[in-house]
Amino acid sequence: NQNLLKNTKISWTQRLQLAEIIEKIQASGILQLFASLLTPQSSFKAKVANIIAEVAKNEFMRIPCVDAGLISPLVQLLNSKDQEVLLQTGRALGNICYDSHEGRSAVDQAGGAQIVIDHLRSLCSITDPANEKLLTVFCGMLMNYSNENDSLQAQLINMGVIPTLVKLLGIHCQNAALTEMCLVAFGNLAELESSKEQFASTNIAEELVKLFKKQIEHDKREMIFEVLAPLAENDAIKLQLVEAGLVECLLEIVQQKVDSDKEDDITELKTGSDLMVLLLLGDESMQKLFEGGKGSVFQRVLSWIPSNNHQLQLAGALAIANFARNDGNCIHMVDNGIVEKLMDLLDRHVEDGNVTVQHAALSALRNLAIPVINKAKMLSAGVTETVLKFLKSEMPPVQFKLLGTLRMLIDAQAEAAEQLGKNVKLVERLVEWCEAKDHAGVMGESNRLLSALIRHSKSKDVIKTIVQSGGIKHLVTMATSEHVIMQNEALVALALIAALELGTAEKDLESAKLVQILHRLLADERSAPEIKYNSMVLICALMGSESLHKEVQDLAFLDVVSKLRSHENKSVAQQASLTEQRLTVES
C-alpha cells in the first residue's frame, strides 16, 4: 500500500550505511537466487514474495529487484490459484512499482496489469475477509503501477478497469480499506479526460453519493470530494450526480458548517459550495435544479447571497451567474428581484471588498443583462450606478466584468449610452484601461465599451467627451484588431464620429494615421467583407475634412477601390462603385 511506503527522512550517515547494505545484498547474489525460488513448483514462493515485498519498501532496492530479473517470475505467479501466493506477489509488485519508473516499465512489459484486472473481475463478488484483503492489495498494486503516469492510466482504462472498480465499491462499501483504495484509484483515473466517458457509463454517481451519505469523518468526505470534483467536470456525470441526490447532501453540509470556525468545517463548506457551483455548469443539471425558478435548490442558493459568509456569498453569486445562461431563466430572475439582491451584495463590498465576490456578482449581472427585455428593467433599478462604484478598482478581473456588464446594459439603449458616454470619469478611466497592455481582456473590453457608447448613443456630446479624453487613437488602433467583430465595431464608431463631429476629431484622426490604416485594410486580401465595406463608408465620411481629404488623394485610394468593384460580395462591390464615384468627383 502507498501509505506503507512513505520513507522517513534519514541522515547522510544512515544513507551511507544503507548504501553499504544494498551493495552487500547485490554482491551476495541473493536477489538472483530469489528469482530461481519464484517458480510455480517452489514451496517457498509465497515466503520469497513476502521478503521481496519487504525489501522493496526501501526505495533504493526497487531498481536492484528489477535488475535481478524478479518481475517476470513474479508476474508468472499471478496465475497461481493459491490466495497467499497471490497476496504476497501483489504486495511485491506493488512495492517495486511505487514511485519507480523502472519497476512500472518491467511490470508493463511482463503484462502484469491485465492479469491483476482479470483477478479483480473474477473475485469481485466474494466478500469474505481474506478475499477483500487480496482485492485491496491488487487495487493498491494497480494504483502504484499507474500513479501520476498518464499512459499507464490510459492503458488501465482501455483494459476496462473502471467498471470493475465501480462494481467493487458497490459490493464492498462496508470494507474501509478496500473502499479507500478504490477512491484513491478513482481520484487518479478521473483526472484523465478519456476516463470520463467510461465513468459516465457506470453507476459511479449513485455509489459515491451513497457512500458520501454514510460518512461522518471529515477526512473520508474529503477523499470522496477529491473524486467528485474531477468527475463533475463531465456534463453527463453532473446530471447523474444531481439525480443521485448529491445536491441535497451539499446543501446539508453548508447548513451544518456555515457558522463553524473550525478549519476542517471551513474547508468542507468551501469544497461543498464550490462543487455545487460546478454542478450548475452543465446545461441539463442546471435546468433540472432551476425548476422554472421554483426549485427548492434554487431558492436555497438565493438565500446564500445575503449571508454574512463570504464563501457563501461567492458561491451564491456564481450560482446565479450559472443559472443565468438562457434568456428564460434570466427574465424570470430579473422579474423576481435577483438584481436587487446582487446590488445589495455589491454595496457591501465597495470599500475594501472581497474581490472574488465582486467579480462573481458582476458576472451574474452581466449575464442577466443579455436578454433585451431585461436591459431597461436593470437600468431603471440603478444597476449602472452600483457598477460604477467599482471604477476605482485596481483588480483586472473586476475591471473586466465591470466593463462587460456596462457594455451589455447599454446595447441598443440610447439614453443610457448617452448618459454613460457623457460621464467624464468613466470615459477617462476607459481611455486609461485602453492602454492596459498587461491585461488584454481589460484592454479589449475598454475599447469595445468606448465604441459601444458612440454606436448606441449616436450623440455629439458623447463623441466630444471621448475626443477630449483622448479616446480617438484607441478606436483607430481597435480598427486593426485581430478580431473582426472588434474591427467592425471600431469602424462603425469612427464613421459616426466622422458624420457627426468630424471637425472636433479631425486632428486626432490625423495623428492616429486613420487614412493609412484604412488604405491597408482595403488593400489586404485577408480583410473580411464587412471590414472592406465599413472602411469605404468611413473614407466617404472623411472627405468632409480638407486635411484628411488630401491624405486620401495622396494615397491613391482609387486604385484599391476600383479593384473591389468586382468583389464576390455584392455589398462590397456596390459600396466600391459608390466610393469610386465619390473619390472621382471630389478629386
Side-chain angles (χ1 to χ4, degrees):
N1 290 352
Q2 207 172 17
N3 55 358
L4 293 176
L5 302 172
K6 288 173 183 165
N7 296 306
T8 50
K9 287 185 178 174
I10 57 173
S11 69
W12 279 107
T13 314
Q14 287 170 313
R15 276 181 183 273
L16 286 169
Q17 289 169 342
L18 198 56
E20 280 175 36
I21 294 167
I22 291 164
E23 214 174 296
K24 283 175 184 171
I25 290 174
Q26 284 180 278
S28 71
I30 194 166
L31 292 177
Q32 285 78 4
L33 176 63
F34 284 163
S36 67
L37 294 172
L38 287 172
T39 60
Q41 297 76 30
S42 167
S43 51
F44 303 109
K45 52 188 177 286
K47 286 190 169 67
V48 172
N50 179 22
I51 294 168
I52 294 168
E54 294 303 316
V55 166
K57 280 182 181 178
N58 184 296
E59 61 181 302
F60 301 106
M61 287 305 298
R62 290 170 202 151
I63 293 176
C65 283
V66 175
D67 292 343
L70 296 180
I71 301 299
S72 187
L74 282 169
V75 168
Q76 288 306 309
L77 286 183
L78 288 173
N79 295 307
S80 171
K81 297 279 184 280
D82 185 310
Q83 201 168 44
E84 182 61 18
V85 171
L86 289 173
L87 183 79
Q88 299 306 336
T89 304
R91 285 185 63 238
L93 288 169
N95 289 358
I96 291 170
C97 284
Y98 182 68
D99 218 7
S100 165
H101 168 71
E102 291 79 6
R104 291 170 180 179
S105 186
V107 172
D108 178 21
Q109 284 165 15
Q114 185 65 66
I115 302 172
V116 171
I117 290 174
D118 291 342
H119 276 307
L120 288 176
R121 275 199 200 103
S122 62
L123 301 170
C124 185
S125 304
I126 305 167
T127 55
D128 67 80
N131 188 62
E132 288 191 324
K133 190 177 178 184
L134 178 59
L135 290 170
T136 306
V137 164
F138 278 160
C139 283
M141 183 245 151
L142 289 179
M143 191 180 73
N144 287 354
Y145 170 71
S146 65
N147 190 36
E148 292 181 358
N149 185 310
D150 285 0
S151 65
L152 292 179
Q153 286 176 356
Q155 179 198 75
L156 295 184
I157 291 165
N158 291 335
M159 289 174 177
V161 74
I162 288 172
T164 306
L165 289 174
V166 173
K167 196 174 171 190
L168 271 180
L169 183 68
I171 295 170
H172 303 274
C173 56
Q174 302 302 325
N175 184 301
L178 184 48
T179 297
E180 196 168 308
M181 206 54 81
C182 284
L183 288 173
V184 176
F186 289 148
N188 286 347
L189 297 169
E191 295 293 339
L192 234 66
E193 204 47 50
S194 59
S195 73
K196 308 278 168 70
E197 215 167 296
Q198 267 205 36
F199 273 119
S201 67
T202 69
N203 63 335
I204 183 77
E206 199 183 314
E207 293 297 353
L208 287 175
V209 172
K210 204 161 49 177
L211 191 64
F212 192 85
K213 285 176 179 171
K214 290 180 192 166
Q215 303 305 326
I216 44 173
E217 290 173 50
H218 168 78
D219 290 349
K220 294 277 164 55
R221 292 217 285 221
E222 200 61 34
M223 214 170 186
I224 300 170
F225 272 139
E226 281 171 18
V227 180
L228 288 169
L231 285 179
E233 287 168 10
N234 176 278
D235 281 1
I237 300 175
K238 281 186 181 80
L239 186 60
Q240 290 169 8
L241 289 168
V242 167
E243 288 172 342
L246 178 61
V247 172
E248 288 71 17
C249 298
L250 298 176
L251 289 172
E252 202 176 313
I253 284 176
V254 167
Q255 201 169 350
Q256 287 169 2
K257 313 293 180 186
V258 66
D259 297 319
S260 172
D261 51 8
K262 287 186 195 163
E263 201 172 323
D264 281 356
D265 289 348
I266 293 167
T267 303
E268 214 165 310
L269 175 75
K270 176 173 170 28
T271 312
S273 54
D274 283 350
L275 186 53
M276 178 82 191
V277 171
L278 181 58
L279 291 175
L280 292 173
L281 279 172
D283 287 338
E284 281 187 81
S285 51
M286 177 272 288
Q287 212 53 43
K288 189 174 179 66
L289 294 171
F290 189 67
E291 287 183 72
K294 295 179 174 61
S296 60
V297 172
F298 172 64
Q299 296 301 330
R300 288 276 287 280
V301 167
L302 273 191
S303 72
W304 294 355
I305 292 174
S307 142
N308 290 319
N309 183 301
H310 281 185
Q311 175 57 34
L312 278 197
Q313 292 171 359
L314 170 65
L318 287 172
I320 297 303
N322 286 345
F323 279 125
R325 286 210 315 281
N326 64 52
D327 282 9
N329 291 5
C330 288
I331 292 163
H332 181 279
M333 287 193 276
V334 169
D335 287 345
N336 284 274
I338 305 294
V339 169
E340 288 72 15
K341 284 184 167 65
L342 290 167
M343 285 162 61
D344 290 344
L345 176 60
L346 280 169
D347 278 335
R348 292 164 70 185
H349 286 274
V350 175
E351 299 301 327
D352 306 320
N354 182 300
V355 173
T356 53
V357 174
Q358 292 171 359
H359 180 260
L362 287 167
S363 294
L365 285 173
R366 182 200 173 281
N367 288 3
L368 289 169
I370 292 171
V372 176
I373 197 171
N374 282 356
K375 297 180 196 295
K377 292 174 186 174
M378 291 176 71
L379 287 165
S380 62
V383 172
T384 46
E385 291 78 2
T386 299
V387 171
L388 286 171
K389 290 174 187 174
F390 295 91
L391 258 189
K392 56 190 173 186
S393 172
E394 293 302 330
M395 305 306 292
V398 174
Q399 295 166 354
F400 180 73
K401 287 297 176 188
L402 172 153
L403 293 163
T405 306
L406 292 177
R407 189 165 62 77
M408 280 300 157
L409 281 169
I410 64 164
D411 190 7
Q413 306 295 310
E415 197 181 320
E418 181 164 11
Q419 201 180 344
L420 280 179
K422 292 193 291 190
N423 180 329
V424 177
K425 274 188 183 167
L426 168 64
V427 174
E428 285 178 347
R429 195 72 160 128
L430 292 183
V431 170
E432 182 190 330
W433 286 342
C434 281
E435 291 169 6
K437 289 188 171 55
D438 293 342
H439 303 288
V442 172
M443 193 164 81
E445 275 294 342
S446 301
N447 278 301
R448 293 190 76 185
L449 183 53
L450 263 189
S451 159
L453 291 170
I454 295 167
R455 288 183 295 109
H456 297 303
S457 71
K458 299 180 177 62
S459 156
K460 290 185 170 200
D461 289 338
V462 170
I463 293 169
K464 283 175 186 167
T465 306
I466 289 171
V467 172
Q468 284 156 12
S469 303
I472 296 296
K473 63 181 178 186
H474 297 300
L475 290 171
V476 175
T477 305
M478 184 182 169
T480 64
S481 165
E482 59 187 338
H483 305 291
V484 173
I485 191 167
M486 286 177 68
Q487 280 186 293
N488 219 27
E489 287 171 359
L491 291 169
V492 173
L494 288 165
L496 283 165
I497 291 168
L500 298 170
E501 276 296 327
L502 186 54
T504 312
E506 186 179 44
K507 284 192 173 62
D508 288 355
L509 293 171
E510 269 184 79
S511 59
K513 301 199 170 6
L514 173 62
V515 174
Q516 289 89 323
I517 285 168
L518 291 174
H519 189 275
R520 223 168 44 233
L521 289 174
L522 287 172
D524 189 346
E525 287 177 9
R526 293 166 301 175
S527 292
E530 59 267 43
I531 301 304
K532 290 189 186 292
Y533 178 87
N534 283 322
S535 295
M536 288 187 282
V537 170
L538 182 48
I539 285 293
C540 294
L542 294 177
M543 301 300 273
S545 153
E546 201 176 316
S547 55
L548 292 167
H549 183 178
K550 187 176 183 309
E551 282 188 26
V552 171
Q553 284 179 316
D554 292 347
L555 272 174
F557 266 82
L558 263 172
D559 298 348
V560 184
V561 171
S562 61
K563 284 178 190 166
L564 292 175
R565 282 189 311 164
S566 56
H567 196 277
E568 59 187 1
N569 183 293
K570 279 184 184 170
S571 300
V572 172
Q574 284 170 354
Q575 186 58 43
S577 295
L578 291 171
T579 308
E580 187 180 41
Q581 286 168 25
R582 183 76 191 271
L583 289 171
T584 309
V585 170
E586 297 286 347
S587 64

mmCIF file of all heavy atoms in Angstrom, residues 209-223:
data_model
loop_
_atom_site.group_PDB
_atom_site.id
_atom_site.type_symbol
_atom_site.label_atom_id
_atom_site.label_comp_id
_atom_site.label_asym_id
_atom_site.label_seq_id
_atom_site.Cartn_x
_atom_site.Cartn_y
_atom_site.Cartn_z
ATOM 1 N N VAL A 209 -22.458 8.904 -4.044
ATOM 2 C CA VAL A 209 -23.412 9.650 -3.212
ATOM 3 C C VAL A 209 -23.860 8.789 -2.032
ATOM 4 O O VAL A 209 -23.957 9.254 -0.898
ATOM 5 C CB VAL A 209 -24.615 10.148 -4.058
ATOM 6 C CG1 VAL A 209 -25.691 10.756 -3.166
ATOM 7 C CG2 VAL A 209 -24.141 11.172 -5.093
ATOM 8 N N LYS A 210 -24.093 7.493 -2.316
ATOM 9 C CA LYS A 210 -24.493 6.554 -1.250
ATOM 10 C C LYS A 210 -23.398 6.508 -0.174
ATOM 11 O O LYS A 210 -23.673 6.565 1.025
ATOM 12 C CB LYS A 210 -24.686 5.159 -1.878
ATOM 13 C CG LYS A 210 -25.622 4.249 -1.095
ATOM 14 C CD LYS A 210 -26.160 3.100 -1.941
ATOM 15 C CE LYS A 210 -25.120 2.329 -2.708
ATOM 16 N NZ LYS A 210 -25.656 1.186 -3.462
ATOM 17 N N LEU A 211 -22.149 6.428 -0.624
ATOM 18 C CA LEU A 211 -21.001 6.373 0.292
ATOM 19 C C LEU A 211 -20.875 7.688 1.058
ATOM 20 O O LEU A 211 -20.624 7.705 2.266
ATOM 21 C CB LEU A 211 -19.732 6.105 -0.522
ATOM 22 C CG LEU A 211 -18.452 5.758 0.230
ATOM 23 C CD1 LEU A 211 -18.604 4.431 0.977
ATOM 24 C CD2 LEU A 211 -17.280 5.668 -0.744
ATOM 25 N N PHE A 212 -21.067 8.780 0.337
ATOM 26 C CA PHE A 212 -20.927 10.108 0.942
ATOM 27 C C PHE A 212 -21.919 10.292 2.089
ATOM 28 O O PHE A 212 -21.588 10.846 3.139
ATOM 29 C CB PHE A 212 -21.162 11.173 -0.135
ATOM 30 C CG PHE A 212 -20.774 12.557 0.284
ATOM 31 C CD1 PHE A 212 -19.467 12.995 0.153
ATOM 32 C CD2 PHE A 212 -21.711 13.429 0.819
ATOM 33 C CE1 PHE A 212 -19.098 14.270 0.552
ATOM 34 C CE2 PHE A 212 -21.353 14.704 1.220
ATOM 35 C CZ PHE A 212 -20.043 15.123 1.084
ATOM 36 N N LYS A 213 -23.144 9.828 1.875
ATOM 37 C CA LYS A 213 -24.196 9.991 2.904
ATOM 38 C C LYS A 213 -23.834 9.274 4.207
ATOM 39 O O LYS A 213 -24.269 9.675 5.279
ATOM 40 C CB LYS A 213 -25.531 9.462 2.367
ATOM 41 C CG LYS A 213 -26.180 10.396 1.362
ATOM 42 C CD LYS A 213 -27.452 9.769 0.776
ATOM 43 C CE LYS A 213 -28.117 10.719 -0.202
ATOM 44 N NZ LYS A 213 -29.224 10.077 -0.954
ATOM 45 N N LYS A 214 -23.051 8.177 4.077
ATOM 46 C CA LYS A 214 -22.705 7.380 5.275
ATOM 47 C C LYS A 214 -21.558 8.002 6.074
ATOM 48 O O LYS A 214 -21.352 7.670 7.228
ATOM 49 C CB LYS A 214 -22.259 5.976 4.847
ATOM 50 C CG LYS A 214 -23.370 5.118 4.312
ATOM 51 C CD LYS A 214 -22.779 3.776 3.926
ATOM 52 C CE LYS A 214 -23.755 2.949 3.122
ATOM 53 N NZ LYS A 214 -23.107 1.806 2.472
ATOM 54 N N GLN A 215 -20.759 8.866 5.421
ATOM 55 C CA GLN A 215 -19.527 9.342 6.058
ATOM 56 C C GLN A 215 -19.795 10.460 7.055
ATOM 57 O O GLN A 215 -20.533 11.395 6.769
ATOM 58 C CB GLN A 215 -18.521 9.854 5.012
ATOM 59 C CG GLN A 215 -18.137 8.842 3.963
ATOM 60 C CD GLN A 215 -17.609 7.546 4.539
ATOM 61 O OE1 GLN A 215 -16.946 7.539 5.574
ATOM 62 N NE2 GLN A 215 -17.898 6.447 3.876
ATOM 63 N N ILE A 216 -19.157 10.341 8.206
ATOM 64 C CA ILE A 216 -19.248 11.452 9.161
ATOM 65 C C ILE A 216 -17.856 12.072 9.397
ATOM 66 O O ILE A 216 -17.742 13.208 9.818
ATOM 67 C CB ILE A 216 -19.879 11.011 10.513
ATOM 68 C CG1 ILE A 216 -19.290 9.672 10.966
ATOM 69 C CG2 ILE A 216 -21.396 10.946 10.403
ATOM 70 C CD1 ILE A 216 -19.707 9.246 12.336
ATOM 71 N N GLU A 217 -16.798 11.288 9.069
ATOM 72 C CA GLU A 217 -15.444 11.813 9.274
ATOM 73 C C GLU A 217 -15.048 12.761 8.150
ATOM 74 O O GLU A 217 -15.288 12.473 6.976
ATOM 75 C CB GLU A 217 -14.436 10.657 9.322
ATOM 76 C CG GLU A 217 -14.544 9.805 10.570
ATOM 77 C CD GLU A 217 -13.625 8.586 10.467
ATOM 78 O OE1 GLU A 217 -12.437 8.785 10.152
ATOM 79 O OE2 GLU A 217 -14.121 7.464 10.677
ATOM 80 N N HIS A 218 -14.426 13.871 8.552
ATOM 81 C CA HIS A 218 -14.012 14.887 7.572
ATOM 82 C C HIS A 218 -13.071 14.302 6.516
ATOM 83 O O HIS A 218 -13.238 14.542 5.318
ATOM 84 C CB HIS A 218 -13.333 16.055 8.303
ATOM 85 C CG HIS A 218 -12.624 16.994 7.384
ATOM 86 N ND1 HIS A 218 -13.292 17.945 6.628
ATOM 87 C CD2 HIS A 218 -11.307 17.120 7.065
ATOM 88 C CE1 HIS A 218 -12.411 18.599 5.899
ATOM 89 N NE2 HIS A 218 -11.208 18.128 6.142
ATOM 90 N N ASP A 219 -12.067 13.527 6.966
ATOM 91 C CA ASP A 219 -11.061 13.002 6.030
ATOM 92 C C ASP A 219 -11.687 12.123 4.953
ATOM 93 O O ASP A 219 -11.289 12.162 3.785
ATOM 94 C CB ASP A 219 -9.989 12.192 6.782
ATOM 95 C CG ASP A 219 -9.116 13.096 7.634
ATOM 96 O OD1 ASP A 219 -9.225 14.328 7.451
ATOM 97 O OD2 ASP A 219 -8.352 12.600 8.477
ATOM 98 N N LYS A 220 -12.672 11.292 5.363
ATOM 99 C CA LYS A 220 -13.314 10.385 4.408
ATOM 100 C C LYS A 220 -14.134 11.182 3.388
ATOM 101 O O LYS A 220 -14.141 10.898 2.198
ATOM 102 C CB LYS A 220 -14.228 9.394 5.156
ATOM 103 C CG LYS A 220 -13.453 8.435 6.066
ATOM 104 C CD LYS A 220 -12.903 7.260 5.292
ATOM 105 C CE LYS A 220 -11.823 6.491 6.023
ATOM 106 N NZ LYS A 220 -12.178 6.007 7.352
ATOM 107 N N ARG A 221 -14.837 12.202 3.901
ATOM 108 C CA ARG A 221 -15.640 13.028 2.990
ATOM 109 C C ARG A 221 -14.729 13.793 2.026
ATOM 110 O O ARG A 221 -15.033 13.937 0.841
ATOM 111 C CB ARG A 221 -16.517 13.998 3.784
ATOM 112 C CG ARG A 221 -17.601 13.288 4.550
ATOM 113 C CD ARG A 221 -18.910 14.038 4.589
ATOM 114 N NE ARG A 221 -18.925 15.176 5.489
ATOM 115 C CZ ARG A 221 -19.958 15.482 6.281
ATOM 116 N NH1 ARG A 221 -21.027 14.709 6.288
ATOM 117 N NH2 ARG A 221 -19.936 16.530 7.033
ATOM 118 N N GLU A 222 -13.608 14.241 2.553
ATOM 119 C CA GLU A 222 -12.637 14.976 1.720
ATOM 120 C C GLU A 222 -12.142 14.085 0.585
ATOM 121 O O GLU A 222 -11.964 14.528 -0.551
ATOM 122 C CB GLU A 222 -11.453 15.417 2.611
ATOM 123 C CG GLU A 222 -10.629 16.564 2.037
ATOM 124 C CD GLU A 222 -11.416 17.854 1.823
ATOM 125 O OE1 GLU A 222 -12.330 18.154 2.612
ATOM 126 O OE2 GLU A 222 -11.123 18.545 0.832
ATOM 127 N N MET A 223 -11.946 12.816 0.913
ATOM 128 C CA MET A 223 -11.478 11.842 -0.073
ATOM 129 C C MET A 223 -12.507 11.673 -1.205
ATOM 130 O O MET A 223 -12.153 11.596 -2.383
ATOM 131 C CB MET A 223 -11.283 10.501 0.628
ATOM 132 C CG MET A 223 -10.148 9.709 0.087
ATOM 133 S SD MET A 223 -9.850 8.323 1.184
ATOM 134 C CE MET A 223 -8.398 7.695 0.412
#
